[in-house]
Amino acid sequence: MKSKSIYALNLFTITNKREYLAYLKRSGEEVTKYKGKVVAIGKYKESLKGELTPRPVMILVEWESQEDLQSYLNDPNLAELHSHREKGTGDYIWQSFEKLEDFKVFFK
C-alpha cells in the first residue's frame, strides 16, 4: 500500500548554470512521469526569522507518495539526469514532509 502524499522542499544555490539547465530540460517531464508536481518555485527574498543560511532557489514538489519520489530518485535510467542536478547545484537542502489536511496531528 502506498503512503500518502508528501512534499519535497528543495533549497539550493545554482553553481553551474550549464549543468542545471541540462537538468531542467528533462526534469519536468520525468517528475510528472513519477507522479510529482511542482507546486512552487521561488527566488530568495529575505530571512524573517531563524538561523538557516539563505539559499537563492526554492522548489516545492508534491509527490503522490514517498514511493513515487524514491522511484524517481532510484531509476537507473535517470542517473545522468540526477548527475546534472548534483553538478549544477550546491548548498543543497532537500527535505520531505507529509501532506496534512490540518494541524490536528500535532495535538494528539
Side-chain angles (χ1 to χ4, degrees), residues 19-82:
E19 287 289 343
Y20 197 70
L21 283 172
Y23 174 72
L24 284 178
K25 285 181 182 177
R26 268 187 60 209
S27 64
E29 179 182 328
E30 297 297 342
V31 165
T32 300
K33 183 169 123 180
Y34 283 89
K35 301 178 187 164
K37 178 176 90 171
V38 175
V39 176
I41 298 173
K43 179 181 173 193
Y44 176 77
K45 182 174 169 138
E46 66 180 311
S47 287
L48 301 173
K49 187 168 175 102
E51 299 297 323
L52 181 66
T53 302
R55 305 315 196 264
V57 182
M58 179 276 302
I59 299 176
L60 181 64
V61 180
E62 182 177 358
W63 297 88
E64 284 191 17
S65 70
Q66 180 72 37
E67 293 83 2
D68 292 324
L69 171 57
Q70 289 304 317
S71 292
Y72 171 73
L73 294 174
N74 297 329
D75 184 337
N77 295 319
L78 299 181
E80 181 183 351
L81 177 65
H82 295 306

